[in-house]
Amino acid sequence: MHDKTPMTLSQSPPLPQPFVHRLHTQWAAEEVSALCRAINRLDEATVSLRVNPLKPVAPKAGWRPVAWCDGGYCLTARPDFTADPLFHAGCYYVQEAASMAVAVAYEAMETKPALLLDLCAAPGGKSTLWRSLMPSGALLVANEPVHNRAMILRENVQKWGHPDVLVTASLPENFGALYGLFDAVAADVPCSGEGMFRKDPDARSLWSEENAARCVQRQREIVRQAWQCLREGGYLVYSTCTFNPAENEENVRWICRELGAEVIRLDTNRFPSILNQDGMLHFLPHRTVGEGFFLALIRKTASQNTLRLRRTEKTTAVPHGWIKEEKDFVGIRQTDGTICGLRTALLPHSTAIRAAVRTIATGVEVAQPKGHKLQPAHALALSTLLNKDNFPKAELTREESLRYLSRQSLTLSPSLPRGFVVATYENHPIGFLNNLGTRANNLYPTEWRIRKTII
């Protein structure tokens, strides 16, 4: 997790001339000039984060609220997030400020979704925001087809700590078999990345008109393949991080015309800095905090068959006393023996989804086999489902926490009983230890450990 050395304007590639020329066909000359100047001010790229309402921390001096998202803040400088145990505890997520605007789309939905699919979800910023917006008991399915990115998504969802989530790793076409199951589908589709020209100047060298044209077709195919899983009257939240109208407004019009939908106009009267074009939103870095972002809310008008939920899978018990609300949850045993806790009311939907697409996380991992016994899964420590009364607590200092997160050994207080102990920092759980008396086994996941040296 090493940060890139900031690139100066003289080092960065110039803005592609065809890109600048096209901007002049979209907006007035003054708007384009201001946008290009903002993109070229590399030192003004913003750093922002969103606080987890399940694990609240107090805003620090200099944090400026993001107007369109409760709990979102812009920072005056980029701290070393890797060196903050609260970051690893899931107390906040580092997210681009403009992309937090999906909260505006959620607010505009007349009926709030009980089942929402985040189709292109990695690394997890919008998924964790969707989960914070949705009420407890609603189900979020966070999907990423690329395996390595799906594992990062799974990690970030587990750190966020909400139990009502499935993480899947499947192609959009596989969701088409879940006829009319979802009330909403969020599609932050792969794009030409023009909105990242300031934050990631390397994106300039990768840009081409040919690549943008390929993105248009890929975006349409992604939406078309998953369209059947959205119920009639359900919502599609379509977003990109590009300024290109072919990938944005033109694709929205194509979806409405070819697939059967209508645009729900988003109201931005409270946020006059956002460029609102016919109810579709452009975030431009000379107008708003953050980078380039496009957002549209679409309602499906085409008729749609609905999947009948007929069966549920076999369940097991979760270790008694390990989770809160135990009577409302069932255990799902994975092929490796891991027991996951899933809300009983969501079992029929989970069964249908798990039968159709590859699922890599179901609810909350509660227990893992260790020989003939079970040990608590790391995800349980980070979950709001953890029954803290069942496990002794070891409050660690920052130095001890960073040693724990680097998977180094620790010696605990002699007053702590032997067995599984929850390690906490500022009263927020960061993982489990197995206290053996003379020493404690560090149970932090090897693949998550901090690898860099922190001073």
Side-chain angles (χ1 to χ4, degrees), residues 302-355:
S303 60
Q304 177 62 63
N305 295 331
T306 303
L307 181 71
R308 294 184 65 183
L309 303 177
R310 298 188 178 185
R311 65 184 181 88
T312 57
E313 55 194 311
K314 184 179 179 181
T315 62
T316 187
V318 296
H320 179 63
W322 285 20
I323 66 172
K324 298 184 292 186
E325 307 174 43
E326 194 172 323
K327 63 180 178 58
D328 297 329
F329 284 77
V330 295
I332 303 291
R333 192 179 291 275
Q334 299 183 157
T335 53
D336 63 356
T338 299
I339 298 174
C340 299
L342 179 71
R343 196 177 298 275
T344 307
L346 299 177
L347 186 58
H349 303 94
S350 170
T351 301
I353 293 164
R354 283 162 55 87

Side-chain angles (χ1 to χ4, degrees), residues 126-194:
K126 295 181 189 67
S127 287
T128 53
L129 176 51
W130 286 122
R131 186 54 276 176
S132 294
L133 293 168
M134 298 167 69
S136 184
L139 179 63
L140 170 69
V141 178
N143 178 70
E144 171 55 50
V146 180
H147 175 76
N148 290 344
R149 288 171 55 82
M151 298 309 292
I152 295 170
L153 171 65
R154 174 176 173 264
E155 176 182 342
N156 287 326
V157 166
Q158 289 181 340
K159 286 179 177 176
W160 204 245
H162 200 290
D164 300 333
V165 182
L166 300 185
V167 180
T168 58
S170 189
L171 295 170
E173 61 196 53
N174 296 326
F175 285 95
L178 296 169
Y179 300 107
L181 184 67
F182 292 97
D183 303 306
V185 173
D188 186 49
V189 289
C191 69
S192 56
E194 297 168 358

Side-chain angles (χ1 to χ4, degrees), residues 318-324 326 385-391:
V318 296
H320 179 63
W322 285 20
I323 66 172
K324 298 184 292 186
E326 194 172 323
L385 209 59
L386 172 69
N387 182 6
K388 295 179 182 179
D389 295 335
N390 191 72
F391 299 96

Side-chain angles (χ1 to χ4, degrees), residues 52-228:
N52 189 343
L54 301 173
K55 308 175 182 182
V57 292
K60 296 182 180 179
W63 287 16
R64 293 172 289 118
V66 174
W68 46 82
C69 181
D70 290 342
Y73 295 93
C74 288
L75 281 57
T76 53
R78 185 180 185 88
D80 186 354
F81 293 114
T82 305
D84 183 5
L86 296 178
F87 170 69
H88 301 274
C91 294
Y92 59 86
Y93 187 96
V94 182
Q95 183 181 11
E96 215 291 299
S99 68
M100 299 180 195
V102 296
V104 178
Y106 182 83
E107 185 179 338
M109 296 178 186
E110 291 181 8
T111 303
K112 304 307 183 210
L115 274 88
L116 186 149
L117 167 63
D118 192 353
L119 193 59
C120 312
K126 295 181 189 67
S127 287
T128 53
L129 176 51
W130 286 122
R131 186 54 276 176
S132 294
L133 293 168
M134 298 167 69
S136 184
L139 179 63
L140 170 69
V141 178
N143 178 70
E144 171 55 50
V146 180
H147 175 76
N148 290 344
R149 288 171 55 82
M151 298 309 292
I152 295 170
L153 171 65
R154 174 176 173 264
E155 176 182 342
N156 287 326
V157 166
Q158 289 181 340
K159 286 179 177 176
W160 204 245
H162 200 290
D164 300 333
V165 182
L166 300 185
V167 180
T168 58
S170 189
L171 295 170
E173 61 196 53
N174 296 326
F175 285 95
L178 296 169
Y179 300 107
L181 184 67
F182 292 97
D183 303 306
V185 173
D188 186 49
V189 289
C191 69
S192 56
E194 297 168 358
M196 293 293 107
F197 279 179
R198 178 172 68 171
K199 194 171 186 178
D200 182 11
D202 291 341
R204 304 177 187 203
S205 340
L206 300 174
W207 183 92
S208 70
E209 292 177 289
E210 294 76 13
N211 181 52
R214 285 193 294 270
C215 286
V216 171
Q217 297 307 315
R218 186 183 181 192
Q219 291 151 358
R220 292 183 179 186
E221 187 65 10
I222 286 171
V223 174
R224 186 191 65 77
Q225 288 175 337
W227 189 246
Q228 288 190 130

